[in-house]
Amino acid sequence: GTLRRTHRAVRAVSIERTEHHQTRAMRAETRRAERERATLLANDASVIASASSASFGARDVEGGSAPMTRVGRGQARTNATTVVGSFVGGACAVLAMAYGVVLSSNASARGSSAALGVASVEVNGGAVDAAPSVVEFVKPFAGHFKSIGDWPEEYMVPVHPAAALGKWHPAGRLGSWAHPNQQEINTFINDWSAKSVAEMPHATYTVPPSGKAKAVRAVNGTPMFYNFVHVPKAGGTYFSVLMSHAMEKSGERHGYPYPMNAAPFNSWITLPLVDLSQNNVMKTAEHYRTREPAQYFATETLRTQYAAGKRLFGKGQYGMGMCDDMEVPCVYLTVLRDPVERYLSHYKYSCLNGAEGRAQWLDEWKKQGACPLDPIEFMDHLGPNLDWIVQIAPGTATDPAVHVAKAKANLGSACFRYLLMEQYQDGLNKMRSTFSDFEGVHDVTDPHMMNPSKPMSADTKARYDKYMANATIMETIVARHKHMKEVYDYAVAHYESHWASPIATC
């Protein structure tokens, strides 16, 4: 018995010592992690910027109006209202906008750092909040969409910038599946294009030339649904921001058409806009086509909303044909750009710079750290994703001339309006004077909203310049874009007359 008691005592001491060492190790690991987070915060302080309110051209923030301080690298201030802006750029149909969140030491505006359980460290002589033990998340678009209601959890923005390192907005959802790879994109394009004319073999989708009467009749030619068909690298990100301005203007005055935190809206990746991206356009179309759930999609529901002044704004590459799925007035919108210039921008953006998480790179390129293709090879890699005509005139016709002719006809429809990137400001002015829902919607001044390609390194620029000086490469690019150029030239030639013609809805 004495021996057993001795063994138990020795074992207890051993366990206690082990736990003591484990606790010390855990504490050391915690201190190390805190130091790393503090270092990251100091090094990444440049992400703290007045992006959100600048993008909306406003200075008001939730909890009152306050001046905003731009904090540069190596600086951090807790004695002034600061905005943490996180950008989701690109053609992934995610609303590529500056999402801002206010971080303030003013307790009346946000509550103090201490209330969040945040430790303080010294950075360049100033107190800076380090890793929070409790992370608080707030709504995106600080100071805007004030009456829109709750956002899905994935859209909530961390109050503290260090938290953004682990939950970069919009978290999870965009990071996990917003950017399909090139093979998935090409497969989807072929399937979607075929389904747009499922009952008409070897056909191409047709927008009604003079509009289409709906169960809910248009009042003064005003649409309920603004359907933006986003052609990548043609100013679409900027235009999406303007549509969000228009939605806020309408929603704050007349109410918003759907609760974003309820199904199916909480799965959309383009909120607050209707999701017409590859991720959700099929499901979105099905809801409007079946009128289910009726509380959101029934014709009578939409009729009541339209009469009350509520509006729908949709964005994505695959919205063509969506107007047929609903019995409310609808118009198509797009922005076009010189095809060769657009492609070269796409090449720099997606191949050379590997934008949007290198979504259009093969796995082997990601391992190598570079896209090895020249502009001709990258066109081959893009496959059907190269030709934006399919977005304007989808279908299964095998003759390219058929798609070209139908794209021209669709652009010329009374319920279709297009802008030219080369005359962007004029097009925006025409939008404001034609559609009352865009009146008073101001220009976006934040350069990030143009979704530019990041500057190329010296080596990458030398590589790109070499391609541009190669006559064979340039001639091939021009030849491969001849059909798109024909459609674009038609759009340029009819730009003024089309805007001058009466608007209709379909």
Side-chain angles (χ1 to χ4, degrees):
T2 302
L3 184 60
R4 284 196 296 271
R5 285 193 295 273
T6 301
H7 285 168
R8 283 197 295 269
V10 171
R11 185 167 177 266
V13 171
S14 177
I15 292 174
E16 182 179 356
R17 287 177 177 175
T18 300
E19 291 177 344
H20 174 70
H21 287 302
Q22 288 175 339
T23 301
R24 290 183 62 188
M26 290 173 64
R27 288 174 178 170
E29 176 64 18
T30 299
R31 288 194 297 271
R32 183 194 63 76
E34 288 177 350
R35 286 195 299 270
E36 287 186 357
R37 292 192 191 100
T39 301
L40 285 169
L41 175 59
N43 291 340
D44 291 341
S46 60
V47 304
I48 306 173
S50 57
S52 175
S53 293
S55 72
F56 279 89
R59 292 293 181 186
D60 58 313
V61 296
E62 189 175 333
S65 179
M68 289 181 289
T69 303
R70 181 175 296 277
V71 182
R73 181 171 297 278
Q75 296 176 314
R77 303 187 179 107
T78 57
N79 60 351
T81 301
T82 314
V83 171
V84 179
S86 77
F87 299 95
V88 185
C92 63
V94 169
L95 233 189
M97 309 176 71
Y99 286 86
V101 49
V102 177
L103 169 65
S104 176
S105 61
N106 184 340
S108 65
R110 285 290 180 203
S112 67
S113 299
L116 298 176
V118 181
S120 291
V121 297
E122 291 292 322
V123 178
N124 287 355
V128 179
D129 295 331
S133 58
V134 178
V135 179
E136 180 178 308
F137 293 88
V138 296
K139 297 177 181 180
F141 302 101
H144 297 274
F145 297 99
K146 294 180 180 179
S147 64
I148 202 168
D150 292 334
W151 290 74
E153 179 183 349
E154 290 83 356
Y155 279 80
M156 300 301 284
V157 183
V159 169
H160 194 275
L165 298 174
K167 192 175 179 71
W168 196 248
H169 179 77
R173 175 161 295 151
L174 293 183
S176 62
W177 51 265
H179 301 306
N181 62 42
Q182 192 59 58
Q183 182 178 354
E184 293 169 337
I185 292 171
N186 292 344
T187 299
F188 177 86
I189 289 174
N190 290 330
D191 291 345
W192 167 79
S193 187
K195 288 180 180 179
S196 69
V197 291
E199 299 178 0
M200 298 176 289
H202 307 296
T204 306
Y205 179 76
T206 301
V207 178
S210 302
K212 180 181 179 181
K214 296 290 188 70
V216 179
R217 302 191 58 152
V219 178
N220 298 323
T222 301
M224 179 178 184
F225 185 30
Y226 294 91
N227 184 337
F228 174 48
V229 181
H230 181 186
V231 175
K233 303 312 297 177
T237 297
Y238 186 94
F239 193 78
S240 298
V241 178
L242 290 175
M243 292 187 70
S244 292
H245 283 297
M247 182 172 183
E248 181 189 25
K249 171 177 169 283
S250 169
E252 294 298 313
R253 182 179 301 174
H254 304 294
Y256 293 96
Y258 42 80
M260 296 187 300
N261 203 30
F265 316 106
N266 57 4
S267 67
W268 290 358
I269 67 169
T270 58
L271 290 178
L273 306 180
V274 176
D275 192 347
L276 306 179
S277 71
Q278 176 175 338
N279 296 295
N280 281 305
V281 66
M282 296 295 198
K283 294 179 182 177
T284 302
E286 184 69 12
H287 286 300
Y288 281 109
R289 185 163 49 249
T290 62
R291 321 291 195 246
E292 294 291 340
Q295 67 186 108
Y296 304 127
F297 299 98
T299 297
E300 289 307 310
T301 300
L302 298 178
R303 185 195 305 276
T304 301
Q305 291 182 342
Y306 179 60
K310 296 181 181 181
R311 298 291 182 262
L312 297 164
F313 299 83
K315 179 255 185 183
Q317 290 180 236
Y318 308 105
M320 185 57 65
M322 180 72 78
C323 289
D324 291 345
D325 295 323
M326 55 182 63
E327 284 295 330
V328 296
C330 178
V331 294
Y332 292 105
L333 305 169
T334 196
V335 183
L336 301 178
R337 182 181 185 181
D338 177 87
V340 171
E341 292 299 321
R342 191 210 68 82
Y343 170 68
L344 293 176
S345 177
H346 188 177
Y347 175 71
K348 289 187 290 184
Y349 182 79
S350 296
C351 179
L352 298 185
N353 287 336
E356 300 184 30
R358 302 177 179 181
Q360 293 182 304
W361 286 19
L362 297 179
D363 289 340
E364 60 189 83
W365 305 347
K366 294 176 182 178
K367 293 177 182 178
Q368 297 168 1
C371 168
L373 305 186
D374 65 31
I376 296 176
E377 294 168 329
F378 194 67
M379 286 192 292
D380 296 333
H381 173 67
L382 291 176
N385 195 30
L386 172 68
D387 189 353
W388 50 259
I389 292 177
V390 72
Q391 296 174 224
I392 308 298
T396 54
T398 57
D399 184 354
V402 174
H403 288 275
V404 169
K406 192 54 61 74
K408 293 178 183 178
N410 287 350
L411 289 171
S413 167
C415 57
F416 205 130
R417 287 296 183 269
Y418 58 86
L419 288 71
L420 302 174
M421 190 168 176
E422 292 77 8
Q423 302 181 51
Y424 215 149
Q425 189 60 56
D426 179 74
L428 296 177
N429 292 337
K430 284 177 165 57
M431 282 285 299
R432 296 185 184 101
S433 62
T434 302
F435 300 109
S436 59
D437 293 308
F438 285 82
E439 288 180 5
V441 174
H442 51 75
D443 293 341
V444 178
T445 57
D446 193 311
H448 292 85
M449 297 304 93
M450 296 302 288
N451 194 26
S453 296
K454 67 180 182 180
M456 293 183 287
S457 67
D459 289 343
T460 301
K461 188 176 186 310
R463 174 185 166 190
Y464 177 76
D465 290 342
K466 181 179 178 180
Y467 293 147
M468 295 303 97
N470 187 306
T472 299
I473 287 178
M474 295 307 298
E475 289 170 2
T476 303
I477 292 174
V478 171
R480 294 277 291 273
H481 284 76
K482 67 176 183 178
H483 295 307
M484 287 173 271
K485 186 65 162 58
E486 183 179 345
V487 174
Y488 177 77
D489 287 345
Y490 168 90
V492 172
H494 294 82
Y495 172 73
E496 292 291 349
S497 61
H498 190 52
W499 275 102
S501 64
I503 189 75
T505 58
C506 58

